[in-house]
Amino acid sequence: MTSDNPFGEAPADQLPFRVGQGFDVHRVSEKADRLLVLGGVEFPGEAGLAGHSDADVVAHVCIDALLGAAGLGDIGQMFPDTDPRFEGADSVALLRIAADAVRAAGWNPANIDCAVVLDTPKLAPVKEQMQQNLSTAVGAPVTVKGRRTEGVGSLGRGEGVAAWAVALVAR
Ligand code: MG
C-alpha cells in the first residue's frame, strides 16, 4: 500500500469497513394458505412464497449481506432450514438476531440497500413500512427498491420473488 492510502498502512483484513452481499429467490408456494410476507409486511390475498420460515426473501437477503460482511457465514448456517425452531419463523426477528450477532463480532451495521424483483403486488404503497421494519431490526438504515421485470422470464410470470442486498459494516 502507498502512503497516500486513506486507510494508512492497515492490512486489508484490518480496514474499518467491510461489505457483504445477499441474493435469494423463493418460488410461489402451491399451498393456498401461505401468506406473502416481504420486509415484514403482509400482503393478504397475494400468493405466498414457499419456505421453511415465513419465506420473507427481503429479510433473508439482509441477513446474508450482514453475515457476509462480518464474516459470519450465511443464513443457512445460522438458521438451518432443518431446524424445527425456525419453521414459520418471523424472518425480521431472525434479522434482528443476525444484526446482534454482527455487533457481538465487533462490527456495527452501517446500512443495507435491497432490490426486490417482482411484478405484482406493487411495493410502493408499503415501501416505507418495509424500510421501517427492516431498519428497526438491524439498528441502521435499510432501503428497499422494488423492480419489475416487465413480464420477462420466470419472475415476470410470477413464479417467485428474488431479492438482492448489499450491506456495509464498520468497526
Ligand atoms: Mg430464503
Side-chain angles (χ1 to χ4, degrees):
M1 292 189 182
T2 61
S3 58
D4 57 356
N5 179 342
F7 301 118
E9 300 302 322
D13 64 353
Q14 291 175 23
L15 293 178
F17 309 109
R18 286 179 59 140
V19 295
Q21 66 89 35
F23 166 74
D24 197 13
V25 57
H26 281 250
R27 66 178 172 78
V28 166
S29 175
E30 289 159 5
K31 297 176 185 164
D33 60 349
R34 283 287 290 190
L35 186 61
L36 178 64
V37 183
L38 297 172
V41 173
E42 298 180 347
F43 295 79
E46 300 288 344
L49 300 175
H52 184 63
S53 66
D54 63 4
D56 185 337
V57 67
V58 186
H60 291 183
V61 293
C62 290
I63 292 171
D64 256 355
L66 277 180
L67 294 180
L72 293 177
D74 64 29
I75 186 171
Q77 291 171 266
M78 184 167 281
F79 308 111
D81 65 5
T82 52
D83 189 329
R85 285 180 301 162
F86 305 125
E87 189 170 351
D90 173 353
S91 295
V92 172
L94 302 183
L95 175 59
R96 183 184 292 269
I97 293 168
D100 286 343
V102 166
R103 278 184 283 269
W107 294 98
N108 288 308
N111 79 300
I112 304 176
D113 188 39
C114 307
V116 189
V117 179
L118 79 172
D119 282 19
T120 58
K122 285 197 165 78
L123 297 186
V126 295
K127 192 173 102 164
E128 290 294 331
Q129 185 64 55
M130 293 171 65
Q131 293 183 153
Q132 188 177 324
N133 294 344
L134 297 164
S135 299
T136 300
V138 172
V142 180
T143 44
V144 177
K145 297 187 288 280
R147 279 286 171 270
R148 301 178 66 237
T149 69
E150 302 183 355
V152 174
S154 56
L155 297 176
R157 290 190 295 273
E159 295 173 12
V161 177
W164 286 257
V166 174
L168 181 72
V169 298
R171 284 192 199 276

